Amino acid sequence: MLHARAEEVEEIDEGLSALVHDMEDTMSAAPGVGLAAPQVGIPLRLFVYNWRDEEGVLHRGTAINPQLLVSPPPIGEADIDEDAEGCLSIPGERFPLLRSHTALLRAVDLDGKPYEILATGWLARIFQHEFDHLDGVLYADRLAEGQARLAQRAIRRHKWGVPDKSWLPGRDHLED
């Protein structure tokens, strides 16, 4: 499911609201800053995010049927510290990835209201990461060749991608 395009959300109802609240709890327990529905086995175009920036401003919300417009990504190599990214679908690993510095998110919230956010920096990265999940793309799929090999080794070492392999955020300890 992680490599398949998710389907549009057709109806915002109590079931979807319950899913969003469960996703928020899972994201918090992991801990993470974003979580897409396909990551919890639900093939819908929906993600949640919760991140506090350097100034202490909380960016939290639900993006239903999002559209994302991004600026061109920078040219060059990703910085191993500044551009390190992780994913709850590849838990315990971080790899450097260049992302666009600016992203415009257009989506609908849980109340059915359309909204738009112009994001920069890490918030733009979070939106790009979660939006990729809705199109069946993991951040490891976007890594430069050398980092991609390291990611694939880590995935094989942890046996991610094996049927019925799972972990519970906040409960299970990941071993190297």
Side-chain angles (χ1 to χ4, degrees):
M1 176 174 300
L2 290 176
H3 282 98
R5 187 180 191 284
E7 299 295 321
E8 298 287 323
V9 172
E10 297 292 330
E11 184 178 359
I12 299 173
D13 57 13
E14 289 179 15
L16 191 72
S17 181
L19 170 63
V20 166
H21 294 299
D22 286 347
M23 288 173 59
E24 290 170 336
D25 290 345
T26 300
M27 176 179 58
S28 178
V33 295
L35 186 66
Q39 292 180 276
V40 295
I42 308 296
L44 292 175
R45 295 191 72 74
L46 156 72
F47 68 80
V48 296
Y49 58 93
N50 186 346
W51 176 70
R52 190 172 301 277
D53 67 23
E54 303 80 30
E55 284 86 41
V57 176
L58 181 62
H59 303 273
R60 180 183 177 148
T62 301
I64 299 170
N65 296 332
Q67 297 175 336
L68 193 68
L69 304 170
V70 296
S71 63
I75 296 173
E77 288 189 33
D79 182 272
I80 198 154
D81 295 317
E82 294 295 315
D83 298 314
E85 194 167 309
C87 182
L88 299 178
S89 296
I90 307 172
E93 303 294 334
R94 294 182 66 78
F95 297 96
L97 175 63
L98 285 177
R99 293 271 193 186
S100 298
H101 183 69
T102 305
L104 177 65
L105 174 67
R106 292 182 179 142
V108 173
D109 68 16
L110 201 49
D111 294 322
K113 285 181 46 181
Y115 69 93
E116 185 174 285
I117 297 174
L118 179 61
T120 59
W122 275 99
L123 186 58
R125 178 181 292 273
I126 292 166
F127 289 165
Q128 291 169 78
H129 181 108
E130 299 310 326
F131 188 84
D132 271 354
H133 278 297
L134 305 183
D135 286 338
V137 177
L138 296 178
Y139 88 108
D141 300 330
R142 293 193 179 276
L143 295 173
E145 187 178 337
Q147 293 297 322
R149 278 195 301 267
L150 293 173
Q152 288 305 314
R153 280 189 210 138
I155 290 167
R156 282 193 302 274
R157 181 177 70 242
H158 290 296
K159 296 188 173 89
W160 298 122
V162 173
D164 298 324
K165 173 82 171 181
S166 66
W167 68 284
L168 294 175
R171 253 194 236 169
D172 292 343
H173 174 72
L174 299 173
E175 297 178 7
D176 288 332

